Amino acid sequence: MNDVQKLLDETPMSRAQWTAVAIIGLLSALDGYDVLAMTFAAPGVSKEFGIDKAELGIALSSGLAGMALGSFFVAPLGDRYGRRFVVLFSLVLMGVGMLMSAFAGSVATLSGWRIFTGIGIGALIPVIAPLAAEFANSQHRRFAMAVMSVGYPLGGTLGGLAAAALLQHFSWHIIFLIGAGAALLLLAASLLWLPEPPAFLLAKRPTNALDKLNDFLRRCGKPPVSSLPAPAALLKSASSYAEIFGPSRRADTISITAVNVLFMTSVYYILSWMPQLVADIGHSASFATLASAMAACAGVVASLALGIWGKFIPLRWLVVCQTTGLAAAIVAFGLASHGVAVLLMLAALVGTFLYTSILGLYSAIVETFDPDVRSTGVGFVMGAGRIGAAITPAVAGALFQAGMGRESVSAVLSLGALMAAGIMI
């Protein structure tokens, strides 16, 4: 394995490798769109079904609960059956779930299909994050991670802009139909151009592993190998939770999990409630969605800049600065008045800190775990974060229902990002 990995690390990346990285970026964009789909649809859903904020909070949380299930129970299959298998399975779940969400006739039915969709979403990111690193050579590995990370806000940006335009002419159902169509297209692209990475083939040796490895090498313009390496040279193939909580990994697993859980409480408060917060002070559903899109657009620009120059910044302090900035930006957005320019400027500020924080934290999570347990470890950390994310919109809805204003709720739920920074320090 060392010879094959050394060959891939030290030689220029081929068109096949760049294509795989591009598909990973698009998969991340789909994840970003699907996560925000319910947020884009929230004002229309609330109006059509006549629900209050507490009920809307539960609907917003349903997809996030599914994401936790996907991260905990589906993502670890990537260490056993392969990253490609999990990607394809996740896309099927996402496509079916989005399609059925478009035809939901009640909030309960919609929430059920959002859980179903969320399982696919939750499994996808913990698997494509390792894929981005495994397809790249050593020179471009950081950039490949940046492409994967940038895809998330890019999906939110393009999806939000499309939603803002389409919601002026169509109902909220169009949001989910777009997601279903995108999942179908990416399923076809992944079947054609997203092979299993060499690291898995060498570690697990599935049926015809040598043929599959040589097929990948030929796609990359590399010479084939005559045999698989000796077992002693293979990566350790453990994938159980016992491994990530073993004596050598327990402290790191617990620490990075705590950081992610706290961080996600702030992230998913503002992601889930931003359009509603804007609508509550008198703006249209279309403008409310545009504010979310502005946040994502700023996140794309900032993340690209960070992908190019961020390698010169120590990862820990990058995460600390960005999460602290996010906490401050959430408080400022909660205090914002009716002014259009001020709202859009603060939305951009929130997006800048939010998405660059995600980029830095995802890099930290991936680097915490060795390749042999990376899908399991990343899946667990992100699954725990999804639990915090799933609870947060409902908690925010309950706080609003209890009479707290947008200023107070924003201040309370910004504390998660601030405490995450404290643990990183």
Side-chain angles (χ1 to χ4, degrees):
M1 174 180 174
N2 291 335
D3 290 339
V4 174
Q5 192 61 58
K6 183 178 180 181
L7 174 69
L8 294 171
D9 279 344
E10 296 181 357
T11 56
M13 285 180 62
S14 66
R15 181 181 297 178
Q17 288 170 283
W18 282 118
T19 299
V21 170
I23 290 174
I24 290 167
L26 292 173
L27 289 170
S28 181
L30 177 63
D31 184 89
Y33 176 82
D34 280 8
V35 166
L36 295 177
M38 186 63 204
T39 303
F40 296 148
V45 169
S46 180
K47 183 177 180 180
E48 178 171 328
F49 295 118
I51 57 177
D52 59 28
K53 287 186 176 179
E55 292 173 300
L56 180 59
I58 293 173
L60 288 167
S61 293
S62 59
L64 301 176
M67 292 178 209
L69 295 174
S71 294
F72 279 131
F73 299 112
V74 180
L77 298 179
D79 287 329
R80 181 175 300 176
Y81 301 111
R83 319 278 199 246
R84 186 173 187 266
F85 167 80
V86 175
V87 168
L88 298 177
F89 182 63
S90 298
L91 286 170
V92 171
L93 293 180
M94 293 165 70
V96 172
M98 293 289 278
L99 181 64
M100 298 307 296
S101 295
F103 296 100
S106 68
V107 174
T109 302
L110 177 60
S111 297
W113 283 113
R114 289 303 294 162
I115 293 174
F116 187 89
T117 308
I119 293 173
I121 300 172
L124 193 62
I125 284 292
V127 173
I128 65 174
L131 272 179
E134 291 167 357
F135 279 122
N137 62 14
S138 58
Q139 180 182 355
H140 294 103
R141 193 157 289 140
R142 285 279 182 116
F143 181 74
M145 284 296 298
V147 170
M148 187 280 297
S149 299
V150 165
Y152 188 90
L154 186 61
T157 300
L158 298 179
L161 293 173
L166 291 171
L167 285 174
Q168 298 183 52
H169 308 286
F170 301 96
S171 67
W172 58 268
H173 305 79
I174 192 67
I175 303 299
F176 298 111
L177 290 174
I178 291 173
L184 179 62
L185 290 174
L186 280 175
L187 177 62
S190 298
L191 283 168
L192 290 172
W193 299 305
L194 192 71
E196 196 66 67
F200 175 79
L201 296 173
L202 293 166
K204 299 300 296 184
R205 297 191 180 193
T207 304
N208 298 323
L210 179 59
D211 292 338
K212 293 176 180 177
L213 176 60
N214 282 328
D215 179 64
F216 177 80
L217 292 174
R218 290 189 190 97
R219 289 191 191 196
C220 298
K222 319 293 185 190
V225 295
S226 58
S227 62
L228 295 174
L234 295 176
L235 277 176
K236 188 177 180 182
S237 59
S239 60
S240 69
Y241 284 110
E243 287 295 324
I244 64 172
F245 285 102
S248 64
R249 292 185 173 113
R250 185 185 303 122
D252 288 340
T253 299
I254 292 172
S255 296
I256 198 66
T257 300
V259 169
N260 194 46
V261 169
L262 290 167
F263 173 68
M264 287 299 170
T265 60
S266 295
V267 167
Y268 278 91
Y269 161 64
I270 199 66
L271 282 181
S272 298
W273 281 95
M274 180 179 282
Q276 194 63 47
L277 291 175
V278 174
D280 283 347
I281 54 177
H283 291 286
S284 66
S286 178
F287 179 79
T289 302
L290 182 62
S292 286
M294 176 62 72
C297 184
V300 168
V301 175
S303 296
L304 284 172
L306 196 60
I308 297 171
W309 294 294
K311 62 183 179 181
F312 302 111
I313 305 172
L315 188 57
R316 176 183 298 191
W317 295 107
L318 171 65
V319 176
V320 167
C321 291
Q322 297 309 102
T323 51
T324 302
L326 175 62
I330 290 173
V331 172
F333 192 83
L335 294 170
S337 62
H338 186 273
V340 170
V342 172
L343 281 171
L344 291 179
M345 180 184 69
L346 288 175
L349 188 66
V350 168
T352 295
F353 284 113
L354 189 153
Y355 289 106
T356 54
S357 295
I358 289 175
L359 190 160
L361 188 54
Y362 277 12
S363 297
I365 293 170
V366 169
E367 290 184 13
T368 298
F369 300 100
D370 296 328
D372 57 328
V373 292
R374 192 162 280 160
S375 287
T376 300
V378 175
F380 176 80
V381 174
M382 292 191 177
R386 302 291 194 184
I387 292 177
I391 295 172
T392 299
V395 169
L399 293 176
F400 282 123
Q401 195 69 16
M404 289 182 67
R406 59 201 297 271
E407 302 88 349
S408 299
V409 174
S410 296
V412 169
L413 292 175
S414 71
L415 293 176
L418 199 59
M419 288 188 285
I423 293 175
M424 290 298 293
I425 292 173

